[in-house]
Amino acid sequence: MAKKTPALADLSTEEKIREAARKLFTKKGYAATRTRDIAEEAGLNLALLNYYFRSKEKLFAIIMVEKLQKFFGFLLPIIYDESTSLESKLETISAGYLDLLMVNPDLPFFILNEIRNNPDLIVNVVKRKDFLKNSVFLKQLKDQRPDADPLQFLLSLLGMCIFPFVMKPGFQKITDTNDHKFFQMMEERKKLIPVWSKAILKAKYPK
Amino acid sequence: MAKKTPALADLSTEEKIREAARKLFTKKGYAATRTRDIAEEAGLNLALLNYYFRSKEKLFAIIMVEKLQKFFGFLLPIIYDESTSLESKLETISAGYLDLLMVNPDLPFFILNEIRNNPDLIVNVVKRKDFLKNSVFLKQLKDQRPDADPLQFLLSLLGMCIFPFVMKPGFQKITDTNDHKFFQMMEERKKLIPVWSKAILKAKYPK
DNA sequence: GTCTATAACCTGATAGAC
DNA sequence: GTCTATCAGGTTATAGAC
């Protein structure tokens, strides 16, 4: 039996606060989240937040690093894997991202939002700043299509994977799609994106 | 001589405030923007903001409607145009969006962010709630590929157009791309997306 | 470790002089 | 219309009892 969200009562006080902070920060962002809300969400007193984490900002920084690692961490081993083909990587990346985001639908928006406020955050997590430029993935792209800009392709691949989640609330409102239907679509996208990304990879590159 | 950003001094006080509010709200969102910052950005006193707009919320609502109309407004005539082909629409939409976003790079993030906080906002601007479902564009997609889900395609098209701007700050940091280079890439994307969207439209739909 | 009470600060809004 | 000064309310952070 998987324990996605462990019962609040079972957690230590510190972890209760973390869990509540994760939920609220990802949902509403730093500025719109009040420490009172976090304390209430955790079923605890406000003072405990400062007792354990000293300040809202410090608590936020902890959650942020966690989330950044989730968002970029799983990508690193894939794009540096010498043993897999480009096509295999496309499948792994899209399926991996969709699985990750189906469990954490608010993650991309949160990350993108807070990077906007502080772009240097990325560097701290990604460590090596040329991690993308030096990757096997980018080299394989360059090999397959020496005539094309691999970054253009990457933007489209990520857009296809991530954008639906960034747009989720608006999309659901416009198309009258409930959560069940949305996640069903994302499940289908796991098959679609590999096919589509290969199609655009083979497409004639316009001059 | 185009006047993109008219000199602040030339504007009426009311318009100075609007302009400053546009800038800060789109950049940082509602919660993170302080009325004091808006006043300072406009080179004016805080009290004038309330004199002209009564409250932060009311000022925000005005900017928000403006932006929503910008973001969705230009789409409506295109997707309801009976006289143009599907392929022509793909070109018009991608080129139109990229042009729009090159002038307003922060627009998508702002829209997406505030829709998240208040999904009903969309309805007020889009008026008819089935505006997408009933569109010529969706019908043409359905005609061309009766075996496929047109919404999946739409998500990819929008993702390819909009996502680069949502990710702009992070992308530039990771790839060490300055503004000039970024906009150059977006210019190139105007040619790429039509080709790519047609490619995925023709791709074999996986079962 | 956990709570209540309160301090210290910030932010949106207004009063009133010019 | 525009400014300075200030209020009222809310938010983070801390002091101190238990």
Side-chain angles (χ1 to χ4, degrees):
Chain A
M1 193 68 75
K3 50 170 175 105
K4 280 281 173 54
T5 310
L8 263 184
D10 298 347
L11 300 172
S12 70
T13 299
E14 186 177 339
E15 191 50 39
K16 275 184 205 165
I17 297 173
R18 274 195 150 85
E19 193 58 37
R22 269 188 276 269
K23 177 170 168 184
L24 294 182
F25 279 143
T26 46
K27 199 165 166 181
K28 319 206 294 171
Y30 178 81
T33 301
R34 293 170 311 166
T35 51
R36 280 170 161 73
D37 298 335
I38 297 176
E40 193 188 348
E41 174 75 28
L44 294 167
N45 190 278
L46 192 160
L48 287 170
L49 194 150
N50 292 77
Y51 176 77
Y52 282 101
F53 299 95
R54 283 188 51 94
S55 76
K56 177 186 178 184
E57 219 170 320
K58 286 198 168 50
L59 174 56
F60 178 77
I62 290 171
I63 306 296
M64 188 65 202
V65 170
E66 261 185 41
K67 297 291 180 184
L68 277 171
Q69 274 163 351
K70 243 190 187 153
F71 195 70
F72 291 106
F74 102 100
L75 206 56
L76 270 163
I78 300 172
I79 66 174
Y80 274 94
D81 192 335
E82 306 254 9
S83 74
T84 57
S85 68
L86 177 59
E87 301 217 333
S88 147
K89 284 188 179 62
L90 295 179
E91 283 158 23
T92 319
I93 291 173
S94 55
Y97 254 124
L98 288 172
D99 279 336
L100 174 66
L101 298 183
M102 278 194 270
V103 182
N104 308 276
D106 289 326
L107 187 58
F109 200 87
F110 173 71
I111 301 278
L112 262 14
N113 187 20
E114 306 301 342
I115 282 179
R116 205 155 264 265
N117 301 335
N118 184 3
D120 293 328
L121 272 175
I122 290 192
V123 183
N124 297 335
V125 172
V126 165
K127 300 293 188 295
R128 188 146 54 125
K129 77 189 235 325
D130 289 336
F131 85 105
L132 182 64
K133 213 174 80 182
N134 299 330
S135 69
V136 177
F137 180 59
L138 224 70
K139 199 144 68 87
Q140 288 174 319
L141 273 175
K142 211 62 195 132
D143 282 350
Q144 179 132 348
R145 292 298 302 257
D147 59 323
D149 180 351
L151 292 181
Q152 294 280 15
F153 177 80
L154 183 66
L155 278 175
S156 294
L157 175 64
L158 294 180
M160 289 193 284
C161 293
I162 298 171
F163 185 73
F165 291 91
V166 176
M167 213 201 149
K168 180 170 181 284
F171 176 79
Q172 291 187 289
K173 194 81 195 176
I174 290 176
T175 61
D176 201 23
T177 303
N178 62 23
D179 269 1
H180 176 71
K181 174 80 192 304
F182 180 82
F183 286 117
Q184 206 171 294
M185 284 184 69
M186 293 306 110
E187 198 58 52
E188 198 192 348
R189 258 181 118 68
K190 279 201 258 181
K191 285 173 285 181
L192 283 170
I193 296 177
V195 174
W196 284 351
S197 58
K198 286 171 204 166
I200 71 178
L201 194 54
K202 278 173 204 143
K204 188 167 161 300
Y205 206 79
K207 174 70 193 54
Chain B
M1 193 66 78
K3 50 174 176 97
K4 280 280 173 54
T5 311
L8 264 184
D10 297 347
L11 301 173
S12 70
T13 298
E14 187 177 339
E15 191 51 37
K16 274 184 205 162
I17 297 173
R18 275 195 150 86
E19 193 60 36
R22 269 189 276 269
K23 177 171 169 184
L24 294 183
F25 279 142
T26 47
K27 199 166 168 181
K28 320 206 295 171
Y30 178 81
T33 301
R34 292 172 310 166
T35 50
R36 281 170 160 75
D37 297 336
I38 297 176
E40 193 189 349
E41 174 75 30
L44 294 167
N45 190 277
L46 194 161
L48 286 170
L49 194 151
N50 293 76
Y51 176 79
Y52 281 101
F53 298 97
R54 283 188 51 93
S55 76
K56 178 188 179 183
E57 220 170 319
K58 285 195 169 52
L59 173 56
F60 178 77
I62 290 170
I63 306 296
M64 189 65 200
V65 169
E66 260 184 42
K67 296 291 180 185
L68 276 171
Q69 275 164 352
K70 243 189 186 152
F71 196 70
F72 290 107
F74 103 100
L75 204 57
L76 271 163
I78 300 173
I79 66 174
Y80 273 95
D81 192 337
E82 306 254 9
S83 73
T84 56
S85 70
L86 178 58
E87 301 217 334
S88 146
K89 283 189 180 61
L90 296 179
E91 283 158 23
T92 319
I93 291 173
S94 54
Y97 254 124
L98 289 172
D99 280 335
L100 174 66
L101 299 183
M102 279 195 269
V103 181
N104 307 275
D106 289 326
L107 187 59
F109 200 89
F110 173 72
I111 301 279
L112 263 13
N113 186 20
E114 306 301 342
I115 281 178
R116 205 155 264 263
N117 301 335
N118 184 4
D120 293 327
L121 271 176
I122 290 191
V123 183
N124 297 335
V125 172
V126 165
K127 302 290 188 296
R128 191 148 50 128
K129 80 190 230 334
D130 289 335
F131 86 104
L132 182 63
K133 212 175 81 183
N134 299 329
S135 68
V136 176
F137 180 60
L138 226 70
K139 199 144 66 87
Q140 288 174 320
L141 274 175
K142 212 60 195 131
D143 283 349
Q144 178 133 347
R145 292 297 301 257
D147 60 322
D149 180 351
L151 293 181
Q152 294 280 14
F153 176 80
L154 184 65
L155 279 174
S156 294
L157 176 63
L158 294 180
M160 289 193 285
C161 294
I162 299 172
F163 185 72
F165 291 90
V166 176
M167 214 202 149
K168 181 171 181 284
F171 175 79
Q172 290 186 289
K173 195 82 196 174
I174 290 175
T175 61
D176 201 24
T177 303
N178 61 23
D179 269 0
H180 176 70
K181 176 83 192 305
F182 180 82
F183 287 118
Q184 207 172 295
M185 285 184 68
M186 293 306 110
E187 198 58 52
E188 198 191 349
R189 257 180 120 69
K190 280 201 258 178
K191 284 173 284 179
L192 283 169
I193 297 178
V195 173
W196 283 352
S197 58
K198 285 171 204 165
I200 70 178
L201 193 54
K202 278 174 203 143
K204 189 166 161 300
Y205 207 78
K207 174 67 196 49

